[in-house]
Amino acid sequence: MKRRDLILFLIIPSIAILSSCQHKPAAAPANPLLNAYDVEQSSTDPQRLIPLNYQQAQGKRVFNNNCVWCHADSTPAGPSNRSNLTPTPPLFTDGETFNSLSDDLMRNTITLGGSAMGKSAIMPPWGQTLTPDEIRAVLAYARAVAQPPYKASARPASQ
Amino acid sequence: MTAKKMGEISTRLRAIFALVSVAFVAVLAVSPVRDFFQSWKRYEKNYVSYAQTRPDTKRLLADFHPGIDQIWLPEMRVLDRCTTCHQGISQTSLSDASVPQPFRAHPAIPHDVKKWGCVVCHRGQGPATEISEAHETTLAWEQPLLPIRFIQASCGVCHRADLPQTPKLNRGRELLSQLNCSGCHHLQDIERPAMLGPDLSNVGNKLTRQWIYKWLKEPHTVVDSSGNTVVDGYETVEEPRMPQFRLTDPEIKALSAYLTTLKGQPIEPAKFDQGVVASLQKSPDLADQGEVRFRQMFCTTCHSLAVTQGDETKLIGGNIGPELTKVGSKINPDWLVAWLRDPQSYLPHALMPRYRWSDQDLYKVTQYINTRLTDPELLSNVPPLEEPAQEEIRLGQRLFLEKGCASCHVIQGVSPQKDFGPDLAILGSKNVSQLEFGNSSIPRNIISYIQAKITDPLSVNPAARMPQYRLTPTDLDAITTALLGMTGSPANSSLARLIVPRAQGAFHPAGAFGELSDRYKCAACHRFNGDGGNLAPELSFEGSRAQRQWIMDFLKNPQTLRPTLIFRMPQFNLTDQDASVIADYLGMVTQSAAVKLSAVDQKQFTPQMAEMGKQLYEVKYQCNACHTIGSAGGYVGPNLSNAGNWLNAAWIEEWLKNPQALVPGTIEPRRSLTEQEVQALTAYVLTLKQKAPGSAGTTAGGAQ
């Protein structure tokens, strides 16, 4: 009898506690599908894909609309205008050039144009064409795809 | 003894009672204890301690309110408690990727996260305060969080018009209409066009039974030297066409038998001027001459051809019309001549323009198509097909309706089955229990369902009539996104207020221009007031932009000097009369209110101003980085060598002040030019003139 009481005493709360635990379904396996809008092929290793977050993906869109013509070697229309220009604009993935430049300097160059920052006037000012958010997004995209990779810690991030 | 026994029993009973009481209290205590250890309380506590490690602790804690935090949107029937745990969602200082979840800030989006909450876009169960209930499918809640790959679907619920920020959604919608999904399904905001597949009422005069058999069986049209299919007659990204239907050999025989009996109007034998035929017939390079004309007329702006370069065979050309690599082995030569002379008499809704052919050109081009765009091996593996038997024809007629052919192809006197496929306009809001998964082993959610249905319809429904589509993973995700965004009409009027409708432009010009526009199909490539194609520049304001004489010259001889442009305007062989009607219409009707042509007097521009403009163009603003003058300059904007003959002065001034105000989305950057600089640049651009008429620049205002 005593043992049965003890068992009863143990069973009731344990049922109550167990029932409160949730059944956790097994995590779904990661989908191998790749997405061209949300990833970017690494410029040095085509096998490697760089995932883009929301802001970087928006930057990719703006880049492919406005910047790709002079800062990439192939464009949606085919040939690029880059080789046509003196001085030759740096490629958007050119980490060696861009990684050492601060976010502020990069943003100001895009916003105010090359001549305002003491660079070539062939870089036009985009401040009245793109919104500040779009310019920030383009920068985030360029940072994400830079080769060698850009390390934010190398310079204090500016807000 | 009895009393003693009684005492023993009562002691034992008391003990049992005590134990049961303790057990009862313990059971009752489970609920408050569970409540005390709720995961959201733990997250709130963690958030407070995390906030204390941040430099802006004070501000973070000022925004923090303990307890369940909820956003209530009664008109949307949304109750959203996500911010109870996602405390930092609108704290910009917590946007860095190093901030642990669930405290990280949401990326900057055009909507206020604090106002709209999370479930409006991310789905999931808003009122839930348990992690799994909020995020996953549970017995009580069938719609889990939308995977982030498909998040643009939620934009599409309200934004029925395409947004630049949602390329995936836009691509999905484009695919849904390109792949003719509206032939069988009702789709949200994707109207059924006037023609999906060609009208087959007269197909027996155009094609042989062998070709139809081959097309239904294995419509691979181009194979490269190693035997790989380059152009798949079924849909590919470059060449969206008829999808793959599951047909057995007898079914294909029956369909081909039925279709060859469809001979509505007899095709008259091709008639050419006898003199033309006699003079051209003997020339050894007749087909070469035809090819030259074919290319000069820019047929490849709409039609593609397979081109082999080295080891690689690929399609080059547009996809408005069908791919033509082997079309000479397909069609009846008499039909081809009749078609080229007047496409609309065979297909009333055809997008092919009615060219003004000279007999020489037509003879040369048809000879080229019939002799060069052929493949003698094309029909070699088609079995011998006898004269169609009555039984076969009847079976074919039945199959034509049963297999859904009639949903896209019209045959006079044959009415298609209404609502052949299920209504997809509400697919995005369906619950898992409303979907049929059959025996398939795919995960039970709407995304797996949609993707399985598109790529392998039989896996979820063995009786499916739906054809199989082969899409790249990117396109499959895009189409899934577009379908997930189709959640039906808004449930109430306050929701309807939130819908941003798809703009329905309408361009139905009447009169003389209307006839010409219908003949040359201007709107197949050009957009007017939001209606028309996207291949060529928008012409809604062409009358403000271009000078009348330039429009005339361009129409007669559309030569663009922009080297990056692959697609060019075909040469329609317009008469002077046609060109002047079109130029008059564009000049009078397609005007922008912002450009006042009469307000700018050309005489005000002096050579000194032009000289200053040249300096600004070449040195200060370096316009030559993107624009070409003569042989030097960039490829991004249009060639300005002849801009003085092309553009109106008032347009140039307005354009320089604010390009996006005239052509929204144009990539020419807006600059802060002074009034004096605008006038100087305008004066300079107006001096840029080429003598020879016809060698004009493109009309594209740098739209792409």
Side-chain angles (χ1 to χ4, degrees), chain B residues 277-298:
Chain B
V277 179
S279 67
L280 288 172
Q281 214 168 19
K282 297 274 161 56
S283 55
D285 60 343
L286 182 56
D288 291 327
Q289 289 180 30
E291 182 171 4
V292 169
R293 283 309 291 154
F294 185 87
R295 297 200 182 280
Q296 281 174 343
M297 291 173 79
F298 282 108

Side-chain angles (χ1 to χ4, degrees), chain A residues 63 67 71 90-114 117 119 123-127 130 132 134-146 150 155 158:
Chain A
F63 178 87
C67 323
H71 287 287
L91 285 174
F92 70 113
T93 52
D94 184 354
E96 298 200 352
T97 305
F98 291 139
N99 286 356
S100 60
L101 306 177
S102 72
D103 283 1
D104 282 340
L105 179 67
M106 295 278 283
R107 271 210 307 277
N108 283 336
T109 313
I110 300 171
T111 312
L112 304 171
M117 305 302 290
K119 309 237 170 181
M123 169 72 185
W126 292 99
L130 303 175
E134 285 175 323
I135 291 173
R136 236 172 265 134
V138 166
L139 178 58
Y141 169 63
R143 294 297 199 203
V145 299
Y150 172 74
R155 286 203 155 255
S158 60

Side-chain angles (χ1 to χ4, degrees), chain A residues 54-55 58 133, chain B residues 89 106-114 116-118 121-122 151 155 165:
Chain A
Y54 173 82
Q55 191 188 28
Q58 289 299 323
D133 274 345
Chain B
I89 204 79
H106 196 275
I109 52 163
H111 295 290
D112 182 0
V113 183
K114 270 285 182 195
W116 292 99
C118 307
C121 298
H122 290 273
I151 197 69
C155 309
Q165 290 93 336

